[in-house]
């Protein structure tokens, strides 16, 4: 018999994986006692004022210890208690409240003073084994509400999984054990408690989807809303005292059983390529989806047909983890880690596999070596590119007018070949001596003699005897550009300059065959601008004359003005012919211009009358 007990002890050591401590009593007659320490099954929780029990952990493995067999072998079970704050074990004094039933110690009911460490000892004359377990009696002031989440989790005795849109029968755990202790048939009350964050809320309303039928709870149609704790409370009488015994079942909803349950590889896909680099750590990730089944499943990597644990090369290892859990369907990930990746590792075959009782799938991983770019050459190339871009930005910011003129000279179109206009530029200005001097001696001279444009000036090119309004409108209509010289004396109400400005704006807005250019000869305040000039200033560019700085043909003024003027392509022979023709025209028109001086002078004296008559 002693050898049998020794064999059983050895099997128990193997089963639970703990090492007992043999303690020898001071009395030589006392047997050697194996102390298994404290049980790793967790703390037993009981609500204050309710019934509960402690089950000796020595009998948690029936193949090692069986209560009936040990009793026949002459072993007796003793209970001891180590109260909180004490060092010495105290034997349990059995009473109507504390009683022993087989391998269980019943507390009917439990009190707050019962909290502490309990020790169950199995012994006979020659052998002894003991193990400790901890009891927690929850006091009323420690519980939030009628059903506390922490307490429900502690007294949960089972976990049930119910597929959606399917049903199941729930039985109150340990009902038959309680019935043995009761004086009469116990009654059972069921409650549904939902978990909202950290709070548990009792669902008082019963539905047609689940109903209590006698002592059992029948769930007809499972829904996601019904997840949580189903709590059953057993009420019974023992020796005239009303007692409650509470247990809870944690119910989880999973996807319906009719859905496909075969596992699938989510990653790598069929076309996915892992980019690897030599002499670095490479990680190959395999991700699989496992629909809910109450059966084992597995995900693994193979290298040349061998699993990682069978490889002799210690550079290979794996890391498995759960990625997500969705109503029973779990997404698992297996990561193959290759330290110090080598060239010959590219030639190996890497396969990811998933399996459960419904199916199997495997997929080969494709590897491709990363093409390394020279770091120094790449850095130099990026630096040169950045410098060139910065240089081009500076050049364009400084020389954008020159670049635009160069582009026009290469790719621009000569407008003389696309329209039937007679003049390139019609100049409108205030009829005073200062503005007239600027127009005739500067603008006209450079535009005609230096730049080769055909310029129309009303005071010079109009014939005597004509109507001023008609000839003005005719000259403007036959010109490609209207150059308006803006100064403080320009375009007073009713002047000829205002007539020219209106004609140019109307031609630009209606037909689009004329463009207006504003040249600011002298600064003027905005309130000095007439309405037509203010409107034109919003849409048109303004070229400013800056005195001595703008006289040179290479100044910014003339470059900006050339951008707005028509593009001219003039050959050397044509330029000579045009010069002679212009000289003859100026000589022939000089006399007529002088004869008109008196008429022009009278017109300037009363320009308002002339404009009103024209309107």
């Amino acid at each position: 018999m002693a050898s049998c007990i020794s064999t059983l002890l050895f099997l128990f050591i193997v089963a639970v994986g703990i090492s007992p401590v043999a303690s020898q009593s001071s009395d030589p007659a006392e047997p050697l006692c194996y102390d298994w320490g404290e049980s790793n099954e967790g703390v037993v929780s009981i609500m204050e004022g309710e019934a509960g029990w402690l089950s000796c952990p020595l009998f948690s493995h029936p193949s090692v210890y069986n209560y009936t067999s040990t009793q026949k072998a002459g072993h007796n079970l003793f209970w001891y208690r180590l109260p909180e704050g004490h060092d010495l074990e105290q034997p349990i004094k059995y009473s109507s409240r504390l009683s022993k039933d087989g391998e269980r110690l019943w507390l009917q009911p439990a009190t707050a003073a019962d909290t502490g460490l309990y020790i169950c000892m199995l012994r006979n004359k020659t052998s002894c084994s003991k193990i400790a377990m901890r009891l927690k009696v929850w006091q009323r002031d420690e519980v939030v509400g009628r059903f506390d989440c922490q307490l429900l989790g502690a007294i949960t005795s089972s976990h049930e999984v119910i597929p959606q849109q399917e049903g199941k029968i729930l039985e109150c755990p340990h009902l038959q054990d309680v019935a043995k202790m009761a004086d009469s048939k116990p009654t059972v009350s069921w409650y549904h408690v939902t978990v909202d964050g950290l709070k548990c809320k009792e669902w008082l309303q019963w539905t047609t989807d689940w109903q209590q039928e006698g002592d059992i709870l029948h769930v007809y149609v499972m829904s996601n809303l019904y997840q949580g704790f189903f709590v059953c409370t057993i009420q019974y009488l023992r020796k005239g005292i009303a007692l409650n015994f509470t247990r809870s079942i944690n119910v989880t909803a999973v996807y319906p059983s009719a859905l496909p349950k075969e596992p699938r590889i989510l990653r790598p896909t069929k076309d996915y390529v892992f980019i690897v680099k030599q002499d670095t750590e490479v990680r190959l990730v395999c991700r699989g989806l496992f629909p809910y089944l109450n059966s084992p499943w597995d995900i693994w990597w193979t290298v040349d047909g061998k699993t990682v644990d069978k490889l002799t090369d210690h550079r290979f290892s794996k890391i498995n983890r759960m990625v997500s859990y969705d109503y029973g369907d779990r997404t698992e990930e297996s990561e193959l880690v290759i330290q110090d990746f080598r060239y010959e590792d590219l030639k190996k075959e890497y396969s990811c596999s998933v399996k459960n009782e419904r199916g199997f799938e495997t997929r080969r991983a494709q590897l491709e070596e990363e093409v390394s770019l020279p770091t120094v050459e790449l850095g130099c190339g990026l630096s040169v590119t950045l410098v060139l871009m910065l240089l081009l930005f500076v050049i364009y910011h400084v020389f954008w007018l020159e670049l635009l003129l160069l582009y026009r000279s290469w790719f621009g179109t000569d407008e003389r070949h696309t329209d039937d206009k007679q003049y390139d530029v019609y100049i409108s200005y205030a009829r005073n001596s200062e503005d007239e001097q600027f127009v005739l001696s500067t603008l006209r001279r450079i535009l005609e003699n230096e730049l080769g444009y055909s310029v129309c000036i009303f005071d010079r090119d109009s014939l005597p005897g004509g109507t001023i309004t008609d000839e003005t409108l005719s000259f403007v209509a036959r010109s490609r550009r209207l150059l308006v010289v803006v100064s403080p004396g320009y375009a007073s109400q009713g002047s000829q300059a205002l007539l020219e400005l209106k004609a140019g704006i109307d031609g630009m807005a209606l037909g689009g065959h004329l463009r207006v250019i504003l040249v600011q000869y002298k600064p003027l305040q905005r309130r000095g601008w007439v309405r037509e000039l203010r409107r034109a200033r919003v849409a048109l560019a303004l070229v400013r004359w800056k005195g001595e700085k703008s006289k040179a043909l290479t100044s910014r003024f003339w470059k900006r003005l050339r951008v707005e003027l028509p593009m001219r392509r003039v050959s050397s022979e044509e330029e000579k012919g045009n010069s002679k023709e212009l000289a003859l025209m100026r000589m022939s028109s000089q006399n007529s211009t002088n004869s008109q001086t008196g008429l022009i002078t009278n017109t300037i004296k009363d320009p308002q009358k002339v404009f009103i008559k024209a309107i």
Side-chain angles (χ1 to χ4, degrees):
M1 181 60 65
S3 61
C4 180
I5 295 297
S6 301
T7 303
L8 292 176
L9 288 175
F10 175 75
L11 292 175
F12 185 69
I13 294 172
V14 174
V16 300
I18 58 176
S19 300
V21 177
S23 59
Q24 179 65 48
S25 174
S26 58
D27 186 357
E30 290 290 331
L32 183 67
C33 196
Y34 293 91
D35 187 358
W36 300 96
E38 186 172 338
S39 173
N40 56 5
E41 294 182 0
V43 179
V44 178
S45 297
I46 305 176
M47 185 66 184
E48 183 183 14
E50 290 199 351
W53 69 61
L54 295 172
S55 182
C56 183
L58 290 175
F59 301 97
S60 58
H61 298 276
S63 59
V64 180
Y65 283 108
N66 181 275
Y67 183 77
T68 303
S69 300
T70 55
Q71 289 296 309
K72 292 180 179 180
H75 287 76
N76 293 317
L77 182 63
F78 300 93
W79 284 93
Y80 298 88
R81 177 170 176 257
L82 182 63
E84 292 186 344
H86 291 71
D87 297 329
L88 297 177
E89 302 171 359
Q90 300 176 4
I92 298 294
K93 295 181 180 181
Y94 301 114
S95 62
S96 60
R97 193 180 69 85
L98 297 177
S99 61
K100 186 178 71 169
D101 180 30
E103 70 273 17
R104 293 172 179 169
L105 176 65
W106 278 85
L107 298 90
Q108 302 181 94
T111 64
D114 293 330
T115 298
L117 191 68
Y118 288 75
I119 301 168
C120 61
M121 178 184 296
L122 187 65
R123 60 178 294 178
N124 62 6
K125 295 181 179 180
T126 60
S127 63
C128 174
S129 296
K130 65 178 181 179
I131 190 170
M133 57 189 308
R134 195 166 295 276
L135 172 66
K136 166 68 173 177
V137 178
W138 292 76
Q139 301 182 41
R140 297 292 176 178
D141 56 357
E142 295 178 321
V143 178
V144 179
R146 180 178 180 185
F147 295 105
D148 184 270
C149 283
Q150 191 175 2
L151 175 60
L152 289 178
I155 65 176
T156 298
S157 57
S158 62
H159 179 261
E160 294 290 343
V161 174
I162 306 178
Q164 298 173 0
Q165 305 304 318
E166 299 181 24
K168 196 168 188 178
I169 294 177
L170 301 180
E171 297 181 355
C172 188
H174 311 302
L175 175 60
Q176 299 302 323
D177 297 322
V178 175
K180 296 178 182 179
M181 308 294 295
D183 297 337
S184 59
K185 183 180 179 181
T187 60
V188 179
S189 300
W190 284 91
Y191 307 92
H192 180 217
V193 180
T194 59
V195 181
D196 183 10
L198 299 177
K199 296 181 179 180
C200 288
K201 297 182 178 179
E202 180 181 352
W203 190 332
L204 299 177
Q205 183 178 1
W206 292 90
T207 70
T208 56
D209 293 338
W210 43 281
Q211 292 286 340
Q212 180 175 349
E213 299 177 358
D215 295 337
I216 65 173
L217 181 69
H218 199 145
V219 180
Y220 296 102
V221 180
M222 184 61 187
S223 172
N224 301 336
L225 298 175
Y226 305 152
Q227 294 191 111
F229 294 102
F230 283 85
V231 182
C232 61
T233 299
I234 305 172
Q235 296 93 18
Y236 66 100
L237 289 175
R238 184 174 183 271
K239 296 182 180 181
I241 300 175
L243 298 172
N244 291 334
F245 182 85
T246 302
R247 283 292 181 266
S248 66
I249 304 174
N250 191 1
V251 176
T252 303
V254 298
Y255 284 117
S257 304
L259 294 178
K261 299 299 181 180
E262 293 78 11
R264 291 186 292 115
I265 295 179
L266 304 179
R267 181 184 178 187
T269 58
K270 294 181 179 180
D271 301 327
Y272 187 81
V273 178
F274 290 98
I275 305 300
V276 298
K277 188 176 181 180
Q278 294 188 38
D279 302 325
T280 62
E281 181 185 83
V282 172
R283 293 176 177 263
L284 308 181
V285 178
C286 175
R287 184 172 294 178
L289 174 64
F290 297 90
Y292 175 78
L293 284 174
N294 190 18
S295 61
W297 52 267
D298 197 7
I299 178 172
W300 70 95
W301 279 97
T302 57
V303 181
D304 289 338
K306 297 181 180 180
T307 57
V308 176
D309 53 350
K310 294 182 179 180
L311 295 175
T312 58
D313 193 342
H314 297 291
R315 295 184 300 115
F316 293 84
S317 61
K318 67 174 181 178
I319 302 174
N320 286 10
R321 54 180 168 266
M322 185 177 71
V323 178
S324 63
Y325 185 88
D326 181 30
Y327 294 111
D329 291 4
R330 55 194 310 132
T331 302
E332 294 287 333
E333 197 173 77
S334 180
E335 189 174 36
L336 179 63
V337 183
I338 308 174
Q339 302 287 344
D340 189 22
F341 192 85
R342 302 170 185 173
Y343 174 76
E344 55 267 21
D345 294 333
L346 281 170
K347 302 178 182 180
K348 293 182 171 62
E349 180 179 323
Y350 303 91
S351 298
C352 167
S353 303
V354 293
K355 180 182 180 181
N356 65 6
E357 69 174 10
R358 294 289 184 88
F360 168 81
E361 185 179 4
T362 185
R363 184 169 297 162
R364 182 176 178 179
Q366 303 180 50
L367 273 63
E368 183 177 309
E369 187 175 6
E370 178 183 0
V371 179
S372 59
L373 297 175
T375 305
V376 178
E377 290 80 353
L378 182 62
C380 292
L382 291 176
S383 301
V384 171
T385 303
L386 183 61
V387 171
L388 288 177
M389 291 178 63
L390 183 61
L391 183 60
L392 290 175
F393 175 77
V394 173
I395 292 175
Y396 176 78
H397 184 72
V398 177
F399 302 103
W400 69 275
L401 284 174
E402 289 80 356
L403 294 174
L404 188 55
L405 290 173
L406 183 63
Y407 175 81
R408 279 163 48 93
S409 65
W410 286 352
F411 304 104
T413 302
D414 195 333
E415 296 183 21
R416 293 177 300 173
H417 302 155
T418 60
D419 58 30
D420 56 353
K421 298 299 181 67
Q422 181 179 355
Y423 300 102
D424 291 321
V425 183
Y426 180 92
I427 302 178
S428 174
Y429 59 96
R431 268 56 176 187
N432 56 59
S433 58
E434 188 175 0
D435 288 11
E436 186 174 6
Q437 178 68 20
F438 170 70
V439 170
L440 296 178
S441 63
T442 303
L443 284 180
R444 180 201 60 78
R445 176 177 61 81
I446 294 180
L447 291 176
E448 288 185 343
N449 300 339
E450 302 294 340
L451 302 180
Y453 288 102
S454 57
V455 179
C456 178
I457 301 175
F458 182 86
D459 299 339
R460 185 192 69 180
D461 298 327
S462 61
L463 297 177
T467 304
I468 295 178
T469 303
D470 294 340
E471 289 194 11
T472 300
L473 297 176
S474 176
F475 281 138
V476 173
R478 286 181 289 164
S479 302
R480 297 183 180 90
R481 302 288 188 275
L482 172 62
L483 196 153
V484 179
V485 179
V486 181
S487 63
Y490 181 81
S492 60
Q493 190 69 27
S495 67
Q496 182 181 353
L498 184 58
L499 173 64
E500 296 166 344
L501 177 62
K502 287 185 175 182
I505 293 176
D506 291 342
M508 184 175 180
L510 298 177
H513 59 273
L514 175 68
R515 289 179 56 187
V516 180
I517 307 171
L518 300 181
V519 175
Q520 180 177 296
Y521 174 52
K522 286 188 176 181
L524 71 161
Q525 296 182 356
R526 187 170 181 80
R527 64 173 178 266
W529 295 49
V530 293
R531 181 179 57 185
E532 289 76 7
L533 272 179
R534 287 199 297 269
R535 292 178 177 176
R537 179 66 184 90
V538 174
L540 303 177
L542 183 66
V543 185
R544 290 181 173 85
W545 173 264
K546 297 183 179 180
E548 294 294 331
K549 295 172 59 177
S550 301
K551 287 186 176 181
L553 191 59
T554 57
S555 67
R556 189 175 183 84
F557 172 81
W558 291 108
K559 293 177 182 178
R560 183 71 178 85
L561 187 59
R562 287 173 60 191
V563 170
E564 302 295 334
L565 292 173
M567 203 280 298
R568 294 295 305 271
R569 295 182 183 274
V570 182
S571 61
S572 58
E573 293 78 4
E574 184 179 358
E575 186 176 0
K576 292 179 181 179
N578 290 341
S579 299
K580 293 179 180 180
E581 182 179 355
L582 290 173
L584 292 174
M585 289 177 63
R586 285 195 296 270
M587 292 176 61
S588 61
S589 62
Q590 184 174 3
N591 294 329
S592 61
T593 303
N594 294 334
S595 65
Q596 291 178 345
T597 304
L599 177 62
I600 295 172
T601 303
N602 294 332
T603 303
I604 296 175
K605 291 180 180 178
D606 196 2
Q608 184 172 2
K609 293 180 179 180
V610 176
F611 178 70
I612 295 174
K613 182 179 179 181
I615 297 301

